Amino acid sequence: LCALIPQPWRERKNIKKGEINLVDFKEIIAKKIGEISNIDSKNIYEFIETPPNKEMGDYAFPCFKLAKELKKAPQIIANDLKEQLVFENNEIPKIDIAGGYLNFYVNEQMLISTVLKEIEKSKENYGSSNVGQGKNIVIDYSSPNIAKPFHIGHLRTTVIGNSIYKIYKFLGYNCIGVNHLGDWGTQFGKLIEGYKRWGEEYNIEENPIDELTKIYIRINNLCKEDESVLNDCRNNFKKLEDGDEYCTKLWKKFRDLSIKEFQKVYDMLDIHFDSLNGEAFYADKMAEVVQILEKTGKLVESEGARIIDLSDKNMAPCIIGKTNGSTTYATRDLAAIMYRAREYDYDKNIYVTSYEQILHFKQVFEVAKLLGLDEKYTDNLIHVPFGMIQSKDGRMSTREGNVIKLEDLLNEAVSRVETIIDAKNPNLEDKKEIAKKIGIGAVIFNDLYNSRIKDEVFDWDTMLNFNGETGPYIQYIYVRTKSVLDKSGYVPKLESINFEKLQDKKSLEIVKLIYNFGEIVKQAAEKYEPYILARYLISLAQAFSSFYNENKIIGEDQQVQDARLYLTYATGLVLEKGANLLGIKMPQKM
Ligand code: ARG
């Protein structure tokens, strides 16, 4: 039946992204205060706050910020400003003074109209921007290690990195997502040796990671017993570095098979990379790094290793070459910086890893300054660290231990949701597809709901609670907006909307939240904090939920119905867009 009813909100028009054209009340206030006080309105803009509760207005200006400059008491400044502030278009119909603060109340009619017009014009590009146009952003994330399990320790980098990627793209930046695979290092010498000896016994095509892990453990044990085997392994890696055909062929096989297995997880999460240049890619690019560092005179020998001393920066030295002559993780990262500067001419080069690597990146960023690169590149190296995942009983998962495979984890999420659906709504069509969106969405949302540096608590019941502050909750409210529109069968035309019909408290709360969406996305980008967006979506979903519970949407007087329907449509649009920016997909039913 639904297919027969015209559903204009399902139309996907290709509207060119543009700058938001919302009336910027904050800027209007800043300009006026700037004119009166003779202070740069950009500074004023920074001072303007959003009060914690609605009784204190929509914006507040702390007058004490000008006290020094104007040589007056805040209270007096407040009085003076209030008297002189005139808004020609009545953008701010009311100003209050409260203890040295000026509280501004925006013109609600104007607010509603600017928001709805912008929604109508931009549709799913609402909140996007072109601030990033012409700027290149490298985002280095996920980056699991070849021949090792893609486990829960890589969940956060994958999810956070993906969201940052999407958010920046939405703001018009040209993003380059790099999966800096751990595909190089002495362990490959061992794997090659193990495979050479017992390869036939293992079915690495069928089950690459598990089988390669077994081979690795077995050869490692043998190395401990027999020094000569260890030597063979070292030789293999040396050969690999020199491009030996047999070793390269095996290494490539391990890599291809591993990537194929990782791809299953990326498919489930619908994550794509622009580059899979991992550590191996830099094997032939490290000599240049070493050469440059030699020329600076700062590359010194220490206990047989070659290091850059960083004691003047209060850091342990950065090891460029190990005692056995082999290169390091850090050297590869230095080569990668040079490559990315040249290849991508980046404006920012962002690394998303756990806080365990804070020191590593500090060292690398410091040493990068010695590479002779333009400051533009070395000033824009950004490490975005995050906390560990903790199970409810307090166990941590690190990069090493606690091997819960991501694939298993995501599958478990989906099957748990299937069980819930079977209990609550057994006749739902496309159950499997919907369970996928909900289950995986729940895991993603849980990962993004707190400031990233906090440890994440991983608890199924919490993240799958449909009434909690969760992914499923946002999806559930979104589905509500859809079903209201399905029921009415139309989205009203904007021209027919009487904005006065949305001036009740609940509607206004939603309008204000929608008004802030673009700003929220920008903040999330600036701070590399998807949680800002995640929390915003919860507020919006909650606001809609209480609006929905307190009001009749369909069956009211036509004008009221149309106004509320339009608001419902706008809410659904922003919920979906926001969730997508977190990497979450929306079901249309649930
Ligand atoms: N493979 C590394 C790990 O598993 C992460 C790599 C992060 N990126 C980088 N350029 N170092 O911890």
Side-chain angles (χ1 to χ4, degrees):
L1 179 75
C2 287
L4 299 174
I5 304 169
Q7 296 176 316
W9 64 91
R10 297 243 163 93
E11 272 180 31
R12 297 253 170 249
K13 280 212 195 93
N14 237 341
I15 292 176
K16 246 191 99 189
K17 275 190 194 172
E19 201 51 68
I20 316 172
N21 285 313
L22 289 171
V23 174
D24 190 340
F25 293 101
K26 195 165 155 182
E27 194 176 281
I28 293 171
I29 297 169
K31 259 203 180 131
K32 283 281 170 202
I33 298 181
E35 279 166 24
I36 296 170
S37 63
N38 242 329
I39 290 170
D40 190 352
S41 67
K42 285 206 186 81
N43 296 338
I44 307 272
Y45 189 92
E46 297 302 319
F47 294 150
I48 296 177
E49 300 169 8
T50 308
N53 68 58
K54 290 155 210 129
E55 281 64 52
M56 296 158 84
D58 298 301
Y59 296 101
F61 181 68
C63 295
F64 61 86
K65 294 271 189 197
L66 306 185
K68 229 175 155 184
E69 192 122 8
L70 301 179
K71 299 193 183 69
K72 281 185 205 160
Q75 187 65 36
I76 301 191
I77 297 175
N79 283 326
D80 288 356
L81 280 177
K82 188 182 171 188
E83 218 154 87
Q84 294 178 63
L85 278 167
V86 183
F87 293 92
E88 287 84 6
N89 301 315
N90 197 27
E91 293 97 334
I92 307 291
K94 184 177 155 199
I95 306 174
D96 276 347
I97 299 181
Y101 271 87
L102 278 177
N103 292 337
F104 297 91
Y105 298 80
V106 304
N107 181 330
E108 289 168 346
Q109 188 86 0
M110 198 179 274
L111 176 80
I112 298 167
S113 106
T114 189
V115 167
L116 298 192
K117 278 183 189 156
E118 188 58 28
I119 287 273
E120 180 77 8
K121 196 181 107 212
S122 307
K123 303 257 169 17
E124 64 272 21
N125 284 324
Y126 176 79
S128 72
S129 144
N130 52 22
V131 285
Q133 215 162 49
K135 297 211 174 92
N136 300 329
I137 307 285
V138 175
I139 305 170
D140 176 321
Y141 68 108
S142 197
S143 311
N145 301 319
I146 296 297
K148 288 191 190 163
F150 192 3
H151 58 76
I152 188 169
H154 285 104
L155 173 68
R156 303 210 67 195
T157 165
T158 306
V159 166
I160 296 170
N162 182 48
S163 178
I164 291 176
Y165 183 98
K166 292 195 168 205
I167 289 172
Y168 269 85
K169 204 163 183 175
F170 192 57
L171 296 177
Y173 292 89
N174 175 37
C175 295
I176 303 115
V178 181
N179 195 343
H180 186 85
L181 295 167
D183 56 1
W184 206 242
T186 46
Q187 73 271 29
F188 288 97
K190 288 185 178 169
L191 267 180
I192 290 167
E193 190 56 35
Y195 189 81
K196 212 154 91 184
R197 287 168 185 253
W198 319 296
E200 258 109 75
E201 298 172 35
Y202 297 86
N203 189 350
I204 71 166
E205 267 82 8
E206 186 73 21
N207 208 350
I209 308 284
D210 286 348
E211 298 297 277
L212 286 171
T213 308
K214 284 183 201 153
I215 296 177
Y216 188 74
I217 292 172
R218 186 164 164 194
I219 191 75
N220 232 356
N221 286 335
L222 193 60
C223 283
K224 276 176 210 152
E225 287 166 23
D226 188 340
E227 183 81 17
S228 76
V229 179
L230 186 60
N231 255 331
D232 293 340
C233 296
R234 285 193 185 128
N235 270 333
N236 288 335
F237 185 59
K238 183 88 191 60
K239 279 195 201 153
L240 183 63
E241 283 191 301
D242 296 340
D244 171 83
E245 200 180 319
Y246 175 78
C247 290
T248 306
K249 210 178 98 195
L250 274 188
W251 167 82
K252 200 170 165 338
K253 182 182 175 124
F254 301 155
R255 186 178 190 269
D256 289 348
L257 287 171
S258 303
I259 290 177
K260 210 169 128 198
E261 180 135 337
F262 298 163
Q263 193 57 42
K264 289 192 214 156
V265 171
Y266 295 133
D267 285 345
M268 288 170 101
L269 294 166
D270 195 18
I271 287 180
H272 309 267
F273 295 94
D274 302 296
S275 163
L276 293 184
N277 288 340
E279 294 185 43
F281 181 75
Y282 302 100
D284 62 357
K285 299 178 180 58
M286 285 182 277
E288 188 188 359
V289 171
V290 174
Q291 244 172 36
I292 297 175
L293 291 178
E294 272 169 355
K295 278 201 196 123
T296 65
K298 296 200 166 149
L299 188 62
V300 295
E301 301 274 328
S302 166
E303 295 166 34
R306 307 187 80 189
I307 62 154
I308 301 281
D309 182 90
L310 296 171
S311 53
D312 57 332
K313 304 278 183 243
N314 282 322
M315 270 185 252
C318 183
I319 300 170
I320 302 297
K322 292 191 206 164
T323 31
N324 62 13
S326 63
T327 54
T328 64
Y329 179 53
T331 322
R332 289 188 275 286
D333 262 328
L334 289 164
I337 290 172
M338 294 200 77
Y339 176 80
R340 291 173 190 178
R342 289 169 180 158
E343 181 74 13
Y344 305 124
D345 181 26
Y346 63 76
D347 294 89
K348 277 181 187 184
N349 183 9
I350 299 171
Y351 299 84
V352 186
T353 81
S354 87
Y355 63 62
E356 292 170 296
Q357 296 196 42
I358 287 179
L359 176 62
H360 165 75
F361 283 107
K362 269 196 180 152
Q363 294 169 320
V364 167
F365 294 173
E366 203 49 52
V367 177
K369 293 182 191 160
L370 304 174
L371 295 175
L373 294 168
D374 195 303
E375 269 178 26
K376 166 184 173 197
Y377 301 119
T378 46
D379 286 350
N380 288 295
L381 294 164
I382 296 153
H383 183 221
V384 174
F386 53 79
M388 296 290 150
I389 295 184
Q390 224 178 330
S391 61
K392 219 177 166 187
D393 56 23
R395 271 180 304 134
M396 295 273 191
S397 83
T398 61
R399 273 185 305 152
E400 309 305 330
N402 215 346
V403 182
I404 300 171
K405 281 198 219 156
L406 267 186
E407 191 188 345
D408 298 342
L409 183 115
L410 295 175
N411 279 327
E412 178 163 358
V414 176
S415 80
R416 279 175 183 261
V417 173
E418 280 182 300
T419 312
I420 299 174
I421 293 177
D422 278 334
K424 284 191 179 170
N425 191 359
N427 298 322
L428 188 66
E429 259 176 71
D430 285 334
K431 248 191 285 191
K432 182 90 201 179
E433 269 314 295
I434 292 172
K436 248 183 168 171
K437 288 179 177 157
I438 300 176
I440 290 170
V443 172
I444 295 175
F445 193 87
N446 183 61
D447 197 284
L448 298 178
Y449 191 53
N450 286 301
S451 155
R452 59 186 150 68
I453 203 67
K454 278 197 187 168
D455 285 341
E456 167 186 339
V457 179
F458 196 95
D459 173 49
W460 287 117
D461 294 336
T462 310
M463 76 179 91
L464 291 176
N465 180 353
F466 283 45
N467 292 312
E469 296 178 355
T470 63
Y473 175 70
I474 288 174
Q475 290 167 325
Y476 172 69
I477 298 297
Y478 168 78
V479 166
R480 280 236 153 133
T481 68
K482 287 281 140 182
S483 68
V484 170
L485 292 166
D486 269 341
K487 225 195 235 160
S488 74
Y490 70 103
V491 174
K493 292 253 175 304
L494 185 68
E495 307 90 77
S496 72
I497 309 261
N498 179 349
F499 299 136
E500 276 170 30
K501 303 291 178 195
L502 293 172
Q503 277 175 335
D504 62 285
K505 245 182 150 178
K506 288 289 164 204
S507 306
L508 263 177
E509 191 185 338
I510 296 175
V511 172
K512 282 182 186 170
L513 280 164
I514 294 180
Y515 176 75
N516 286 336
F517 180 58
E519 200 43 48
I520 291 288
V521 174
K522 274 194 192 140
Q523 273 178 33
E526 249 161 52
K527 301 191 170 132
Y528 316 103
E529 283 285 20
Y531 93 92
I532 295 174
L533 178 56
R535 301 230 158 189
Y536 164 88
L537 292 176
I538 290 291
S539 308
L540 180 59
Q542 285 170 344
F544 184 80
S545 168
S546 62
F547 164 79
Y548 178 91
N549 289 333
E550 284 170 32
N551 293 301
K552 243 170 112 181
I553 299 178
I554 298 174
E556 280 293 318
D557 137 297
Q558 188 69 38
Q559 279 201 343
V560 175
Q561 169 168 320
D562 282 356
R564 288 183 179 162
L565 275 178
Y566 202 89
L567 194 60
T568 302
Y569 158 72
T571 304
L573 195 87
V574 174
L575 282 178
E576 178 168 34
K577 189 73 235 183
N580 290 168
L581 292 179
L582 297 179
I584 296 172
K585 298 217 160 120
M586 290 304 209
Q588 301 302 314
K589 292 218 157 60
M590 67 192 267

